[in-house]
Amino acid sequence: MALSPLFILYVVIVFSFIVTSIFMFAPKGDERVHIIFFWLGCALSLLVTFINATALPATSDFTDKIILAWCGLIFTALGIIVRMLKGKTNTVANLLVMVATVYGCVGYFLFS
């Protein structure tokens, strides 16, 4: 099986996901580190969701799968809302962003 460029991109995304997740939860004294990696996690989940949703053909047969792919952003939006309401590092917000990224990666292989 030949490695497609999209599969290589997903390997890079998974590596980035692991690094981002580690630094989101690493106990550091500086709050800026948590903030930076939280927003990097949000951007990563947005990228994964975009790739997942646009990889599907735009026909009427795949409309429900495209909608399900875009629904992954709901987790990210909830994570951002929780983060803004608390105003500081929050485990629930970090987990919601991580779930959105995992949902997008898994959805790419299940929906396609």
Side-chain angles (χ1 to χ4, degrees):
M1 178 178 145
L3 293 177
S4 68
L6 194 57
F7 180 74
I8 294 171
L9 177 66
Y10 263 93
V11 169
V12 171
I13 287 173
V14 167
F15 176 75
S16 301
F17 169 72
I18 291 170
V19 170
T20 303
S21 299
I22 289 171
F23 283 109
M24 269 199 292
F25 290 104
K28 301 279 184 196
D30 193 6
E31 180 71 17
R32 289 180 294 174
V33 174
H34 293 289
I35 293 170
I36 290 169
F37 280 99
F38 174 78
W39 289 109
L40 284 175
C42 290
L44 184 64
S45 69
L46 178 67
L47 174 69
V48 168
T49 303
F50 180 77
I51 291 171
N52 183 17
T54 58
L56 296 168
T59 62
S60 61
D61 297 338
F62 288 93
T63 304
D64 55 343
K65 293 181 180 181
I66 292 172
I67 292 170
L68 283 175
W70 283 113
C71 284
L73 289 179
I74 293 172
F75 297 116
T76 304
L78 288 174
I80 291 171
I81 290 169
V82 169
R83 173 77 182 208
M84 291 297 131
L85 288 177
K86 296 293 181 177
K88 59 179 183 172
T89 300
N90 190 346
T91 305
V92 174
N94 291 345
L95 287 175
L96 285 169
V97 171
M98 289 174 57
V99 165
T101 307
V102 170
Y103 177 81
C105 287
V106 171
Y108 175 74
F109 295 109
L110 294 180
F111 296 150
S112 299

